[in-house]
Amino acid sequence: MIVPLLAPLEAVLFAAGSEGLSTQAISEVLEVSVDTVFELLTRLKSEYELREAGLEVVELAGAWQIVTRADCAPYLERMATAPSAPGLSQAALEVLAIVAYRQPITRGQVESIRGVQSDRVLQTLLHRQLVCEVGRQDSPGRPILYGTTPYFLQTFGLSSLEHLPPLPVLDETSEDISLFDLTPALPRD
Amino acid sequence: MIVPLLAPLEAVLFAAGSEGLSTQAISEVLEVSVDTVFELLTRLKSEYELREAGLEVVELAGAWQIVTRADCAPYLERMATAPSAPGLSQAALEVLAIVAYRQPITRGQVESIRGVQSDRVLQTLLHRQLVCEVGRQDSPGRPILYGTTPYFLQTFGLSSLEHLPPLPVLDETSEDISLFDLTPALPRD
Amino acid sequence: MSYEVSLEKFNGPLDLLLHLIRKQEIDIHDIPIALVTSQFLNYIRAMEELSLEIASEFLVMAATLLAIKSRMLLPRKAAAASDEETDNIDPREELVLQLLEYQRCKWAAGELKSREHLQSLIYTRPPLDLRPYHRDDPLPVEGVSLWDMVDAYRKLLLRVPKEDRVAEIKGHELSVEDTMSSILTRLRRWTKATFRELLGTVRTRHDLVASFLALLELVKIGAIHCTQASPFDDIEIILREEYA
């Protein structure tokens, strides 16, 4: 019964482009229940996989969108005219990681984990809209609390904060496992 | 032999957006002959038709592109008229301010000021008719120049662009030089 | 942030310590503090010889290491007698915890880096222009004023890193006329302001002169009047009602 809606789903996802559509929005446009939307999305996803398309259906920051498949990147690089945004420095990635896992967090707390001043790096992350102010801490001086943005989720291919890879356990007692050997096995989606 | 190139073809057509790609351009990106490109395009076209996709591959004004299929139009209409939030997001206000004060301006310039991609926000503003295309910049790629619309002036109660409030002055309390605390040398321009 | 350049890959003293520990294949829970301390100090000395600026955080860490080292030398009992709470607590414990925590942070940073790379291989396209599907008048914009837009711009400027910002405001020279209207605009919002509030944010000689002339001009046309409680006190500038 839902099959006739696969084509419209594809069309509206295509139209939404990089903006994507939330499950809720899709259900309103297609006039079907959210459950049906999930069913449709699952179908469309697997159809794309089956026919080994150059595109795939993904959920980024809570919005569904159609994107190109990673293995087509070499071709796309050839036609890309806009230089991609410069990557983040090691320091920026560190601060971002702390904010991502510990949000909401103050600059002072970030600095105490890193052991160095981090205001400049934080400023860069604010400018690149990976991080934003989310409030004030109820403590002397009412320092600003920082959190990550939806753009952060998009940039790192996450559908939500719950999909951040779990941190390795801080186990002080076990001496046999050297934490240095904790090579980050890439989590798969 | 050509089948492995179908996915890359789909990906590049998708990413090229509504500008599309000429047969020649595709042949350069995929590094195959123009004849092969035609063969590939024919295949992709018929594949889309066969699976009754919501999209189709068409040639418009010498450029190949992927578009939504005509019979999905009712859904797109619903999407277009879906009541969007009556206000404007912070990001939208920011882009609008940049366009208002810096017009005519390209998307790239907006993005370099903001430090983040702004295509969707710009699309929202276009859609809400606060911003419009005002021409093309005479530079490589001839990027679109944007400006504000009469509807923008009307919305914000301005009789003309000259009545935009003067640009806000940066007030940094921390590191800024207050002219009143200055030692003889005034800051230089 | 000169140390970020001068210390190359080390993003601070914890990073350097981790590097030293890793290089020696030392158990992080049982750091030979004397060895690590001397290596850490050697590193700082080498930097001094290269006339590189050493960030204060590195010096603080050096002091911390020396403090831990000296506490390790104290007999346990003596330490326990001096302070009950530190009984049996390894003086290195706090540092170890900090290192472990920082190590997790580095792990997460690496994780983000690889995800960033994966994501950079994925391309999207801008949303379709849906205007052709939408024949009605634009939806009215509600609850947003011109000032919200100007405020958004101000926040943007604050967010832009300083080095970029110079270009942002450069070449923006105010005329006396513009400045008059900007002062009036501000006074319409505040009714009155002090001289310092009005001119405190002026950054260039040109703008300062323009602002001062604008104030004089506004007094002359009777848009504002100025009061001063006592000599050298801040001057208060008040908008006349006719101009509100």
Side-chain angles (χ1 to χ4, degrees), chain A residues 15 18 94 102 117 180 187, chain C residues 57 101-103 111 125 128:
Chain A
S18 53
E94 275 180 28
R102 293 295 162 81
Q117 278 200 1
F180 306 118
Chain C
E57 290 100 343
E101 190 57 34
Y102 180 65
Q103 198 165 37
E111 196 69 15
R125 48 172 285 150
L128 213 61

Side-chain angles (χ1 to χ4, degrees), chain A residues 178-189:
Chain A
S178 167
L179 280 156
F180 306 118
D181 299 335
L182 267 180
T183 27
L186 257 183
R188 316 290 289 267
D189 303 22

Side-chain angles (χ1 to χ4, degrees), chain A residues 14-15 18 68 90 94 102 113 116-117 123 126-127 129 155-157 165-166 168 170 172 179-180 184 187, chain C residues 11-12 14 29 57 98 100-104 107-108 111-112 115-116 119 122-125 127-128 158-159 161:
Chain A
F14 176 85
S18 53
T68 64
Q90 188 58 34
E94 275 180 28
R102 293 295 162 81
I113 293 176
V116 278
Q117 278 200 1
Q123 187 72 29
L126 278 167
H127 183 227
Q129 295 192 16
T155 306
F156 294 94
L170 216 173
E172 296 163 68
L179 280 156
F180 306 118
Chain C
N11 287 303
L14 289 172
H29 300 283
E57 290 100 343
Q98 216 184 346
L100 286 171
E101 190 57 34
Y102 180 65
Q103 198 165 37
R104 296 212 301 171
W107 177 87
E111 196 69 15
L112 288 181
R115 290 190 150 260
E116 184 192 28
Q119 203 57 24
I122 286 165
Y123 291 71
T124 61
R125 48 172 285 150
L128 213 61
L158 286 173
R159 207 180 67 222

Side-chain angles (χ1 to χ4, degrees), chain C residues 191-206:
Chain C
T191 316
K192 61 182 179 183
T194 64
F195 189 70
R196 192 177 276 263
E197 282 167 342
L198 276 178
L199 273 80
T201 53
V202 168
R203 290 153 75 94
T204 67
R205 196 189 298 265
H206 177 100

Side-chain angles (χ1 to χ4, degrees), chain B residues 7 14 28 82 89 104 109 122 158:
Chain B
F14 173 83
E28 279 160 27
S89 69
Q109 289 165 335
L122 213 41
L158 295 164

